[in-house]
Amino acid sequence: MSLDATTAHAAGKAAFTRIDESTREDWAVIAAHDHDYLAGLADTVLATLERLGEGHQPYQITRLEHCLQTATRAEHAGADEEIIVAALLHDIGDELALFDHAEYAASILRPFVSEKTHWIVKHHDVFQGHYYWDKVGGDKDARERFRGHPWFADVEAFCRDWDCPSFDPAYPTRELDHFAPMVRRIFARKPFSVVADPYAPQASVTTTTKTPSASE
């Protein structure tokens, strides 16, 4: 049985049962909940990363260790904090979006990072494919469809220098606790959905090329 508006709002719930019947008061309740959820988003992200370290995995290191190692290499190279966090989260989608993990990770980061950082994470999969897709029946040169894009070299370097070599159990890799404050600072930024959207057409660098999925 649905609640009347007064009872629902007092319980911290919207009163509508169809979204086209929602009210401003309903959305004020929802916004208050979202505010609290956003405050804990960094913890949710860190917990999701931790799960990448669970269970048997076919590499010499876990997916969590791969993410940590990629971020460690980025930090050692002098990358800024936003890129270090991007390196840490670049494969966070492996748990739920194994065949589209780059898009998944980029979507998590997008409201909190620059368009350039978002583009790097979104396309790292096809650039990483340069180093192994020929061994699994794919096109290792699929990244060439993006040749000429202003951030081509940035994604190329991200994969070549940090992502590609980060499967090494002997590499001195920092722990997740080291990166946690960085994650908290990035996700403490006001998301673009609350402030002006930096992805508005007049501010965007766009490409008409289709973004490949991991299965391409």
Side-chain angles (χ1 to χ4, degrees):
M1 184 177 67
S2 60
L3 302 175
D4 64 81
T6 300
T7 303
H9 295 165
K13 291 183 175 292
F16 64 85
T17 57
R18 306 169 41 109
I19 202 165
D20 60 349
E21 295 175 353
S22 62
T23 65
R24 291 183 182 275
E25 290 77 14
D26 288 327
W27 288 105
V29 170
I30 294 167
H33 173 273
D34 289 351
H35 179 272
D36 292 341
Y37 178 82
L38 184 59
L41 181 56
D43 290 330
T44 302
V45 168
L46 291 167
T48 302
L49 273 174
E50 286 188 305
R51 288 198 296 273
L52 295 182
E54 297 174 355
H56 171 75
Q57 299 187 30
Y59 309 102
Q60 292 196 38
I61 61 175
T62 67
R63 287 187 170 96
L64 171 60
E65 290 168 329
H66 168 69
C67 290
L68 293 169
Q69 193 171 129
T70 305
T72 300
R73 291 180 189 275
E75 186 175 32
H76 287 170
D80 64 32
E81 186 165 279
E82 180 175 296
I83 287 291
I84 294 169
V85 170
L88 180 69
L89 302 188
H90 77 285
D91 279 350
I92 196 172
D94 278 357
E95 183 180 41
L96 293 175
L98 183 59
F99 299 103
D100 198 16
H101 74 280
E103 181 94 30
Y104 184 104
S107 295
I108 293 171
L109 283 163
R110 184 183 182 220
F112 304 96
V113 299
S114 69
E115 187 177 6
K116 179 179 179 180
T117 298
H118 170 257
W119 204 88
I120 289 171
V121 175
K122 182 177 178 179
H123 295 88
H124 83 270
D125 184 30
V126 69
F127 280 71
Q128 181 82 330
H130 179 72
Y131 301 103
Y132 76 96
W133 276 5
D134 58 317
K135 302 172 181 67
V136 294
D139 178 10
K140 66 176 293 184
D141 295 318
R143 69 181 187 175
E144 292 302 314
R145 71 189 72 179
F146 297 106
R147 179 75 67 178
H149 191 281
W151 298 323
F152 183 99
D154 297 283
V155 193
E156 182 180 37
F158 181 96
C159 293
R160 181 191 64 231
D161 299 339
W162 305 338
D163 196 3
C164 174
S166 290
F167 295 85
D168 183 358
Y171 187 83
T173 300
R174 294 188 179 276
E175 299 291 336
L176 185 58
D177 285 347
H178 172 77
F179 297 107
M182 302 184 196
V183 172
R184 297 187 195 285
R185 284 191 290 270
I186 294 299
F187 283 90
R189 295 174 175 177
K190 282 190 175 182
F192 73 75
S193 58
V194 176
V195 297
D197 186 349
Y199 297 92
Q202 64 270 20
S204 296
V205 176
T206 60
T207 176
T208 57
T209 308
K210 175 180 176 288
T211 301
S213 68
S215 59
E216 290 184 312

